[in-house]
Amino acid sequence: MLRHTRFLFLTIVTLALLAGAVSVLAQEGGTLQLVRDRGKLICGVNQELLGFGYLDPNTSEIVGFDIDFCRAYAAAIFGEASAATLELNVVSTQNRLTALAAGEIDVLVRNTTWTLTRDTENALDFGPTNFYDGQTLMVRVGEGLEDNWDALNGVTICSTAGTTTEKNITDAMNARGLQFELLTFESTADTMSAFVDGRCDVETSDRSQLVALRAAQADPAAYYIWRENISKEPLGPVYRQNDSQFADIINWTTYGLIQAEEFGITSANLDQFLRQDGENDEAYTARVGAQIARFLDGSLGIGGKLGLANDFMANVIRAVGNYGEIFERHLGADGLGMARGYNALWSQGGLQYAPAWR
């Protein structure tokens, strides 16, 4: 316990010192200026989670839902998302927060749950929730553990170290008076391998991660994911605190992707909503409406209030599409086959909602 306490103390002190050093840099011009001077955005990501951040063996490129948000932020700042404007820096579950606090990355988009402790102890801030998730359990079919808490007494449970899932499952089992052994591993891949190899009876993680991990198995039907969630897991981008301009850019680019879906603007029909050659302000506004003109136009747009081009959202949508396109491409019908659920637009029964763009 003493060793653990010392480690925790040193970690907090280190984070505070790192955050202080980066804070000085931020005060001298902010992360936006650092990114522009460097010529590229550095985004901290995962590369082993299918659907969210995954190293595609066929292309040797990291792709996924989270990666497209990195690409959106690069397009917002530089007008395009390319290897020249975006660097994906793979970070682990254990070092993701320290890497951000130390300035090794500019923004973290890696399945990171927004919690009070992370928000207050690490000198970091969380942006809008771009994926509403929940922790649940995965078991092997036929072992009698499906949706049955009583059957879990005496089981071994696998989880990834350094995540909220360790504490959540411990709370859930203790609350029910169930005995269990918890095995933790450094990476999600190692956790899944241990479960598949039979070292544990149950694997626990965010539902989206379990769906992705099951889909990557040779026989996905051999595994069952519980219907019940045992926690709320709001996931989204993370950045250093006390840098309001950069925070605004991350926040409003995220909201802009949701707003684009609300407007029905996609990467395929974007040009229909842009100003045509020879079209004056009055004619353009009459054709698309004042709200879309403020959202997309280089003259009537309001992106300049963020320190970006007035029409930055046009560049973002051209690069990655709207929120719905990103979801369907990686997690929905064209990806893991997940339902939108809480991640549907507010107008369709979900929680995704963009503040007023004016």
Side-chain angles (χ1 to χ4, degrees):
M1 178 62 75
L2 180 60
R3 182 179 180 184
H4 175 75
T5 302
R6 286 175 176 170
F7 175 78
L8 180 61
F9 174 76
L10 290 173
T11 300
I12 293 173
V13 170
T14 301
L15 281 169
L17 292 173
L18 292 173
V22 174
S23 178
V24 171
L25 292 175
Q27 291 170 10
E28 293 175 346
T31 302
L32 177 61
Q33 191 59 53
L34 291 174
V35 170
R36 282 178 166 159
D37 290 345
R38 186 194 302 127
K40 65 171 62 175
L41 175 75
I42 302 178
C43 196
V45 301
N46 197 346
Q47 67 168 359
E48 60 180 30
L49 187 60
L50 187 65
F52 286 87
Y54 177 69
L55 181 60
D56 187 333
N58 298 316
T59 64
S60 298
E61 294 182 352
I62 304 175
V63 296
F65 180 86
D66 287 344
I67 309 307
D68 274 356
F69 277 85
C70 294
R71 297 179 65 222
Y73 304 143
I77 296 170
F78 293 108
E80 64 173 19
S82 67
T85 62
L86 174 64
E87 177 179 327
L88 301 176
N89 189 336
V90 177
V91 290
S92 69
T93 300
Q94 290 73 33
N95 76 358
R96 54 186 166 177
L97 299 180
T98 53
L100 179 58
E104 296 173 13
I105 57 177
D106 303 309
V107 60
L108 173 69
V109 192
R110 189 199 183 283
N111 320 93
T112 304
T113 300
W114 187 356
T115 71
L116 186 151
T117 299
R118 286 174 174 169
D119 204 351
T120 55
E121 288 188 351
N122 299 305
L124 305 174
D125 280 331
F126 284 75
T129 298
N130 65 0
F131 189 86
Y132 291 93
D133 212 339
Q135 183 179 340
T136 189
L137 313 178
M138 182 160 65
V139 299
R140 287 179 286 274
V141 171
E143 295 187 353
L145 302 179
E146 294 94 335
D147 297 312
N148 186 351
W149 282 106
D150 292 338
L152 297 187
N153 196 36
V155 300
T156 300
I157 300 175
C158 283
S159 177
T160 305
T163 65
T164 56
T165 58
E166 295 179 70
K167 296 176 181 177
N168 291 335
I169 191 62
T170 299
D171 290 346
M173 295 293 281
N174 288 340
R176 292 166 174 81
L178 301 173
Q179 301 297 313
F180 70 105
E181 180 182 3
L182 184 64
L183 293 182
T184 62
F185 300 85
E186 292 298 308
S187 72
T188 304
D190 289 342
T191 306
M192 184 64 187
S193 294
F195 173 64
V196 171
D197 291 344
R199 294 179 61 187
C200 48
D201 307 291
V202 179
E203 177 168 1
T204 185
S205 188
D206 292 352
R207 179 174 297 277
S208 63
Q209 290 200 32
L210 295 181
V211 169
L213 293 168
R214 183 177 64 175
Q217 300 307 304
D219 183 15
Y223 306 99
Y224 177 81
I225 297 175
W226 278 33
R227 292 190 297 269
E228 178 183 351
N229 285 341
I230 65 172
S231 72
K232 295 181 289 185
E233 303 292 330
L235 311 179
V238 192
Y239 38 75
R240 289 179 289 276
Q241 69 180 19
N242 299 325
D243 191 348
S244 58
Q245 184 181 27
F246 190 70
D248 284 344
I249 289 170
I250 299 300
N251 294 353
W252 283 98
T253 302
T254 304
Y255 290 135
L257 293 168
I258 298 168
Q259 183 65 68
E261 185 179 9
E262 292 187 21
F263 282 146
I265 301 171
T266 70
S267 56
N269 67 14
L270 171 64
D271 289 340
Q272 300 174 24
F273 295 94
L274 300 181
R275 187 191 293 258
Q276 306 300 308
D277 290 341
E279 202 170 33
N280 61 28
D281 289 353
E282 183 178 13
Y284 174 58
T285 302
R287 180 170 62 83
V288 301
Q291 292 185 74
I292 290 178
R294 282 195 297 271
F295 188 61
L296 291 178
D297 190 54
S299 175
L300 301 176
I302 55 177
K305 296 180 182 298
L306 298 169
L308 303 175
N310 280 335
D311 60 349
F312 80 98
M313 275 310 303
N315 296 324
V316 170
I317 297 167
R318 196 177 300 284
V320 299
N322 65 33
Y323 180 89
E325 289 181 271
I326 296 172
F327 187 99
E328 294 303 327
R329 184 160 57 238
H330 300 293
L331 309 179
D334 299 328
L336 296 177
M338 298 178 66
R340 287 287 292 268
Y342 291 133
N343 296 293
L345 295 179
W346 64 280
S347 56
Q348 299 173 8
L351 297 176
Q352 294 297 352
Y353 183 104
W357 199 278
R358 62 181 314 128

